[in-house]
Every structure is written in C-alpha cells, then in structure tokens.
Amino acid sequence: MTLEEVVVTANKRSEPLSHIGEGISAISGADLELMSANNLEDYLGFIPGVEFTSYGRPGQDQISIRGIASQSLGAAVATYVDEVPVGSTSNEAQGATYTVDIDPADLERVEVLKGPQGTLYGASSLGGVLKYVTKAPSLTDTSFETGVEGNDVDHGGLGYKVRAAGTTPIVPDILGIRVSGFYRDDAGYIDNVETGAKDINSDRAWGARASLLYQPVEALSIKLGAVVQRTDSSGLDAVSYNQVPNFPPPFALSYGDLNTSLALEQPSRVTDQIYTAEIHYDMGWASLVSATGVSREDIYRFTDVTATYTQPSYVTLLNETPGSTVSDVNHYDIDKTTEEIRLQSASNGKLEWLAGFFYQDESSTTSSLLTLDDAAGVQPPQPYGSPAVEFTNNDLKEVAGFGDLTWYILPQLDVSAGYRHSHIEQHNQTDEYGYVFEPPTPTLPITRTDTPVDDVNTYSGGIRWRVTSDVMLYARAANGFRPGGGRGEPPVPLPNFVFSYSPDSIWSYEAGIKARAWDGKLAIDVDGFYINWKNIQNLVAVGGGFLIQGNGGAAVSRGGEAQIQLQPIRHLSLNAGLAYTDAHYTDPNPGLDLTVGEPIQFVPKFTASLQANYSWTLSDRSDVFTGADYRYRSGELDAIGFELPAYGQWGLHAGLNYAATRVNLYVANLTDKRGLLGYTGGGDAVGDAFRYAVTPPRTIGISVTQKW
C-alpha cells in the first residue's frame, strides 16, 4: 500500500502536488473530518511555514506565510474559494484583521501556496494564497451523508454540530447538484469577573452550500456555486494578563485562569456570501476558462473601550459622570465582483502556456461609532453621546493581464516564466466627526479624500529537473505586491502632505526537493527560501513625531520547511512537519523604535507538527482506527511588541468504521495547555489588563457520520 498522491490546482491546472515546483501544502477533506476541524485554527498548525494569529473573534484573525505577516491594514495572503478571490483587496477594509474562514464540512481540500503568487493570483498574494476547494456535484451517482458531533469543553459547557450533504444527477451524465449545510453551537469557557457572566465567548454558526454542474458535452462544463455562512459570537476568546503598569513578559493572570474583566460584553457577527460561476471549454489544443465571482462580507464588532476613554484626559472633554462606559462599534461591508478569463494550452506538448485577463470591482464601507453611556446606561445629550464617528467609503477597480509559459527542454527538464501587469485605481473618502477628532468644539465633519493609482508589474521564473521518476529538484524566483492606500492627515497640518501611500513588494527565491521512495511509502518535501521585503506598509513618523500609515523600511525572511509522510507498515501512517523562519528588519521604519535585526511581528522562528494514525481490520465490514497529533509554536512578537510564550498541544482520537457508519472519539488540547494566539486589546490605563486570545481548553468530543 502506497501513500495517496494529492492533486491540486495551484498553477491553474490539475497537477499532482509532487510535480509542482514551489512550496505548497494541501489537507484533504477526509483529514479535516478526522481532525474534527471547525475553523482555520484547528488545522493550519499542521502546515509548515504557516502561522495563525487570532484577535479573539471568529474570522478576526491573520495568516502569515514564510514570515510575511501584515504589519498594517491590508492582507498579505490572498484567499480564494475555488477559482474566485474573496475578502478585501483594499487596505481601507482592514483585510489584515479578517480572513474568510469557511467551515471545513464538505470541503474537497484546502490548499496553501507559499511565497508570492503575483503573476497568477495578483494583488495581496504577497505572502501566498489560501484556497478552499469545494466538492463538485456528481453526474453519475447519488449519495447522502449526515453527521452529528457533541463535545464537552473543560471550564466551559457542552457544544454540538450537525451537518448533512448530498449529491445526485438530475439528468444523468449531463446535470448534477450538490447541497450541504451545517449548524454549530460552540460552548464558551471564559468568565467575566466584573459582571459575573459565565462562558461569555460562546459562538453559534450556520452555513449552506449549493453547486450545480452542467456538462452537455464532454468538452464543456458549467458550474454554479453558492456559499452562505454566518457566525454570531457573544464575546471575545480573550483572557486578562498583567494589569498596567505591570507590563509583560512574563505573562501573569490578572483574575485567574480563563477570566477577564470587562464593563461590557463584546458580541460580534460575521456573514459571508459567495456566488461563483465557472465555465470550462476544451477545444483540444487549448481550454477556455471563465471564472466569475460575486461576494459580500458583512462584519460587525462591538468593543468595550471604557478603560481608554474614562481616563482623566477624556473625562472633562466628554462630560463624563462616574460609572460611565464607552463602546466602539465597527461595521464593515465589502462587496466584490470579479471576472477572470484565460486561455490555456493542453498539458501534453513541449510548450505549455496560459494567458488571461482579470477584472475586479470592490466597494467597501466601514464605520466606527464611539458611544458614551452613563452609569444607568443612558446616553448624555449629543454630541457627548457620540464623541467620535467615522465613515470610510472605498471603491477599488483593478484590470490585469497575465501570462505563463513552460518550456520542456527535455522530458526531465523544464523552465517556466510568468508575467502580470496590474492597474489599480481607488477612490477613498473618510468623514470624521466628534470631540475626539476636533477638541474642544466639533464643527463640521473632517473629510479626507484620496485617489491612489497603482501600476505594478510582477514576474516569476522557475526550473524543474526530474532526476528520476521519484525525485524532483526545483528552484523558483517570484515577486508579489499589495496595493497602496489612503491615510488621514496628522493633527498638525503639514505642507505638501500626500494623502496616499504606495504598494509594498517582495522578491522571493526558493529551492527544494520533492521525492518519493520505498515503493511509494515515503514522501519527502524539503525547501529553503530567501525573501526581500521592501517599502513595507507600516506606521511611519511624519512631522512632529506623529505616526500614520505609510511606507518605510525593509526586511528579509529566510528559512526552510520540511514535510515527511511515511507509511512504514500497512496500517500505520506518519506525517511530520518542521519549519524555521528568521524574519527581521534590515532597514527599520523610522519612529517605531525598531533596530536592525528586530523580528517581524506575528512570526515564530520554529513550528513543528506530528500526526500518527493506525488502523486494523476487524472484519470485511469494519475496522478500528486510532491516532495522536502534536503541534508546537515557538515564541513570537505580538501586535504591541511583547513576545508571546511558546506552546505545544497534543490531541488524540480513536474510532470505528462499520459499513457506512463512522464513530470518532477525540480529545483536543489533551494537557489543557494555554497558548496565547494574539493581543485583543486592553492595557490602555492604569489598572487595565492586557487581553489575549487563547487556545480553547481541553475538549472531549464524539462524532458520528453516516453515509447513505
């Protein structure tokens, strides 16, 4: 028995993962089910070179790849659902703090492309691409699957999940449909000592997917898809550490394990709607592909900022009375329409080529409303009740042309080159009003408009040498970029001030080996990389020492990754991953108190993982399986420059397959270890604690899946 070869679509073609000359990892839907995964946090730790940072709410997180972690507002990793980009390209919608997190139920696989993907995937694929691949309808078979899961969270309560999926041909061999849905109730486990509320961070999520596949002839296929998902959270997954002025590290609990102290609860809501249409027409000598996407993200966040705005400097200004509370409500609406048309050659000649056109139209509206309430929960007369109101509207349009060429010099040796030109125009308008922006007497709104225009060229080149049928050496160079953005003027007007900043860019160089041995029972994927990051989007110092968004500084990231899969005996499989990343500034941004060699935030130097699974047959209709996994992450700098401690977590699972039924018993975070995932706020006033998102406590669960 040999290891299964995974087929991916990283280069816009279906290819075995072991044939792709760049760093890429994939996790199958079957493995996601075995993990009992519900979100990105549950499985990204098993992919070498990928780091997950949480800000304590569903979807409010950041992914970094190979040390390229956003230091500003815009996302550094592009997100795709099948052939369609989702999430914000504009910095105005703060894509760095939101990643579309599709529930893994009924996914075919998740692919992660490492390193810049500017030629094929365009803007914001600076560090790489996260790609969800959904299951396609069947044109020949009817199947139905149901699943139910229950779990018990230590220090918290009970949670559960139900899901169902089915596919059937409507017209055999011509028209098929697939429909799936889920509902999940996640137990809370954090208590608020100030209000006495228990389990304040419980979540409820539901989602539905539908896909229609029409294939009237073998050469033509049309697939329509829809994904709708919503998550409601009652509060932050955050624990209080180190009351000011006792700055961390080391991190010390302020109110005990899994406790926080807040005057107000902090609910949030995330709704994703993604609609896709893909057309594939095979003309023999080439294929014509059209991928159309329409998506909408609706994000609502309620944040307690009482500690910040009840300091002495604000009390008089805002006419506060004792016991007042202050909240900040943020709302983000992101509407995106995209179209990609490409023509690509067949994969059986001396030359393989691809040429395409891409267009996107994105509009986003973001708002921030600061609200003051007295001790009785009543707003004082305006304008004191709303001391800060901010609205931002962004329109982004992008037109791009791209191409890729691979020349097979020999059957065992090929070289490739890619190019893309992107033209991006933005129009931003921000209106600000209130005492916070215009002390001591607000008058008319402060309006800021800017129209950044970016023309960017990206390139890639690579070489692959198949030493034998089981060993491939490769090298690749590529670059990527992130669009520029707008910024507000400092409090003190400056002459010749520019209201926009430029794209940042990286060049990446990597080399690696992919090999299979021992009659297909061993697979090795090892690579090394060196990345130059220039014109980094970050806070920069301007006149008077004010810090605002801009470009400044440079950095490098260098390291290596290894992934090994081994099946030493028939029923035992092992999967190990290891990554080392040294990401640091070589030209620090002025005014940020950084030094040469300072580590980049959100990047651990070491990550490691291990998975082991063993199964044995009981009869011709049943088998038993068991396994264990371990994830480790070394320390890393958080958003405010503190080093988060290293941590590791164990997991166990065991179960039974009987005919079409699977029962799986699992334990996540076996030793009940607290891992700090990211800074979520706090530390703004004396007595106010820093709050950090933490990994969920030990969770014991059981799932039952039935195929019909």
Side-chain angles (χ1 to χ4, degrees):
M1 190 172 181
T2 61
L3 295 168
E4 180 182 357
E5 180 72 280
V6 179
V7 176
V8 295
T9 55
N11 289 326
K12 308 282 188 177
R13 299 175 183 270
S14 295
E15 298 175 282
L17 189 149
S18 62
H19 291 187
I20 296 177
E22 62 180 283
I24 178 173
S25 295
I27 300 179
S28 69
D31 287 339
L32 292 169
E33 180 184 335
L34 194 62
M35 295 177 190
S36 296
N38 289 321
N39 48 49
L40 291 167
E41 181 186 341
D42 292 336
Y43 58 85
L44 283 184
F46 294 105
I47 300 179
V50 179
E51 169 62 4
F52 174 86
T53 299
S54 173
Y55 300 103
R57 308 180 197 261
Q60 192 178 358
D61 43 53
Q62 175 176 271
I63 301 172
S64 65
I65 302 177
R66 289 183 171 175
I68 305 303
S70 179
Q71 307 295 296
S72 60
L73 302 176
V77 174
T79 304
Y80 271 66
V81 174
D82 294 323
E83 296 270 2
V84 171
V86 295
S88 176
T89 302
S90 162
N91 294 344
E92 297 294 334
Q94 301 188 23
T97 63
Y98 177 69
T99 301
V100 176
D101 193 348
I102 300 295
D103 188 282
D106 203 43
L107 284 180
E108 183 68 33
R109 65 184 177 275
V110 176
E111 300 177 9
V112 177
L113 288 67
K114 304 172 188 177
Q117 306 293 325
T119 54
L120 290 182
Y121 291 92
S124 298
S125 59
L126 196 71
V129 173
L130 169 70
K131 190 173 186 180
Y132 300 101
V133 181
T134 61
K135 290 185 177 180
S138 174
L139 300 179
T140 57
D141 300 314
T142 296
S143 64
F144 187 65
E145 180 178 310
T146 57
V148 60
E149 176 183 334
N151 54 62
D152 183 11
V153 181
D154 278 14
H155 317 279
L158 301 177
Y160 68 91
K161 179 179 181 178
V162 293
R163 60 183 179 87
T167 182
T168 188
I170 300 173
V171 180
D173 299 318
I174 296 178
L175 182 65
I177 189 172
R178 184 177 190 90
V179 178
S180 65
F182 77 92
Y183 180 86
R184 193 177 78 239
D185 192 322
D186 298 330
Y189 45 84
I190 292 174
D191 298 337
N192 187 350
V193 299
E194 183 167 341
T195 64
K198 303 291 185 181
D199 303 336
I200 63 171
N201 62 319
S202 60
D203 302 330
R204 291 164 303 285
W206 64 267
R209 295 179 209 145
S211 182
L212 191 69
L213 178 61
Y214 176 55
Q215 191 169 355
V217 294
E218 184 177 352
L220 175 64
S221 68
I222 301 173
K223 187 174 74 169
L224 305 178
V227 178
V228 179
Q229 181 172 301
R230 172 167 167 160
T231 303
D232 291 88
S233 176
S234 59
L236 285 174
D237 302 333
V239 174
S240 294
Y241 293 86
N242 298 69
Q243 290 181 337
V244 176
N246 300 315
F247 292 95
F251 288 87
L253 291 165
S254 296
Y255 308 105
D257 188 26
L258 296 175
N259 288 330
T260 191
S261 180
L262 293 165
L264 304 169
E265 307 302 346
Q266 304 190 94
S268 64
R269 181 183 67 248
V270 174
T271 304
D272 297 303
Q273 301 178 62
I274 303 164
Y275 306 98
T276 62
E278 298 178 23
I279 302 173
H280 294 253
Y281 181 50
D282 187 353
M283 298 176 289
W285 60 278
S287 295
L288 181 65
V289 179
S290 170
T292 306
V294 177
S295 63
R296 179 182 178 89
E297 277 76 50
D298 184 350
I299 306 164
Y300 167 87
R301 299 169 183 162
F302 184 99
T303 304
D304 179 4
V305 291
T306 300
T308 302
Y309 289 97
T310 54
Q311 297 180 71
S313 58
Y314 284 106
V315 168
T316 302
L317 176 67
L318 302 183
N319 197 30
E320 296 181 41
T321 57
S324 295
T325 60
V326 187
S327 64
D328 186 12
V329 175
N330 297 104
H331 205 151
Y332 306 82
D333 283 320
I334 305 163
D335 292 281
K336 181 194 289 281
T337 300
T338 64
E339 173 62 36
E340 179 172 307
I341 299 175
R342 64 180 187 269
L343 190 66
Q344 56 192 62
S345 68
S347 301
N348 54 7
K350 197 174 183 65
L351 289 177
E352 289 180 0
W353 52 267
L354 178 154
F357 165 84
F358 175 80
Y359 171 80
Q360 74 166 319
D361 186 346
E362 177 185 314
S363 63
S364 63
T365 301
T366 66
S367 64
S368 174
L369 173 62
L370 210 63
T371 301
L372 174 69
D373 293 305
D374 63 21
V378 177
Q379 289 188 27
Q382 296 298 340
Y384 296 109
S386 301
V389 181
E390 182 177 41
F391 293 96
T392 298
N393 294 290
N394 169 267
D395 290 305
L396 179 149
K397 289 181 173 59
E398 177 184 6
V399 178
F402 59 94
D404 189 83
L405 178 67
T406 300
W407 174 32
Y408 288 85
I409 303 172
L410 299 170
Q412 302 83 18
L413 180 66
D414 63 78
V415 293
S416 62
Y419 169 75
R420 186 185 191 105
H421 177 77
S422 300
H423 176 79
I424 299 176
E425 297 182 2
Q426 298 184 65
H427 183 273
N428 305 315
Q429 178 172 319
T430 298
D431 296 308
E432 298 171 339
Y433 178 77
Y435 276 77
V436 171
F437 295 116
E438 294 184 282
T441 305
T443 55
L444 297 176
I446 300 173
T447 299
R448 181 256 299 176
T449 59
D450 51 79
T451 55
V453 177
D454 300 323
D455 281 282
V456 182
N457 297 312
T458 50
Y459 308 89
S460 65
I463 183 170
R464 295 181 296 184
W465 177 31
R466 286 162 288 280
V467 182
T468 69
S469 59
D470 291 324
V471 178
M472 183 186 76
L473 303 177
Y474 70 88
R476 179 178 184 261
N479 74 320
F481 77 101
R482 179 170 44 177
R487 58 184 180 176
E489 189 171 7
V492 177
L494 298 175
N496 303 316
F497 183 79
V498 178
F499 284 89
S500 61
Y501 52 94
S502 303
D504 52 358
S505 63
I506 68 172
W507 266 102
S508 169
Y509 310 91
E510 67 175 296
I513 179 172
K514 297 184 179 183
R516 297 174 72 88
W518 202 6
D519 296 326
K521 296 178 182 178
L522 173 65
I524 300 173
D525 186 347
V526 179
D527 63 64
F529 60 87
Y530 184 90
I531 298 173
N532 271 318
W533 190 0
K534 294 184 178 180
N535 221 23
I536 298 175
Q537 292 179 8
N538 206 331
L539 293 174
V540 296
V542 293
F546 296 108
L547 297 176
I548 62 173
Q549 290 294 325
N551 300 99
V556 300
S557 180
R558 56 195 178 192
E561 302 148 349
Q563 185 129 21
I564 300 173
Q565 294 175 279
L566 175 63
Q567 194 162 39
I569 57 178
R570 178 179 175 82
H571 298 292
L572 176 63
S573 62
L574 304 172
N575 190 336
L578 177 65
Y580 167 76
T581 306
D582 175 16
H584 62 269
Y585 287 98
T586 55
D587 180 14
N589 293 352
L592 293 184
D593 296 325
L594 300 175
T595 59
V596 173
E598 184 98 3
I600 293 176
Q601 295 170 341
F602 316 118
V603 181
K605 277 207 168 182
F606 293 97
T607 59
S609 65
L610 178 65
Q611 296 169 288
N613 293 286
Y614 184 76
S615 64
W616 62 95
T617 302
L618 297 180
S619 69
D620 58 351
R621 302 188 65 195
S622 62
D623 62 83
V624 176
F625 59 89
T626 186
D629 60 71
Y630 178 73
R631 289 179 287 179
Y632 171 79
R633 190 201 73 184
S634 68
E636 64 178 70
L637 293 185
D638 68 1
I640 53 178
F642 296 143
E643 183 171 352
L644 303 182
Y647 73 93
Q649 289 190 340
W650 286 94
L652 299 174
H653 68 268
L656 169 70
N657 290 316
Y658 180 78
T661 304
R662 165 177 283 191
V663 179
N664 184 28
L665 177 67
Y666 67 90
V667 182
N669 194 2
L670 177 66
T671 59
D672 201 23
K673 177 73 173 179
R674 300 288 170 268
L676 274 62
L677 297 175
Y679 169 74
T680 68
D684 295 324
V686 174
D688 185 30
F690 295 87
R691 293 183 290 277
Y692 281 85
V694 297
T695 55
R698 178 172 46 237
T699 301
I700 300 174
I702 185 170
S703 64
V704 180
T705 303
Q706 179 68 48
K707 296 182 179 180
W708 308 86

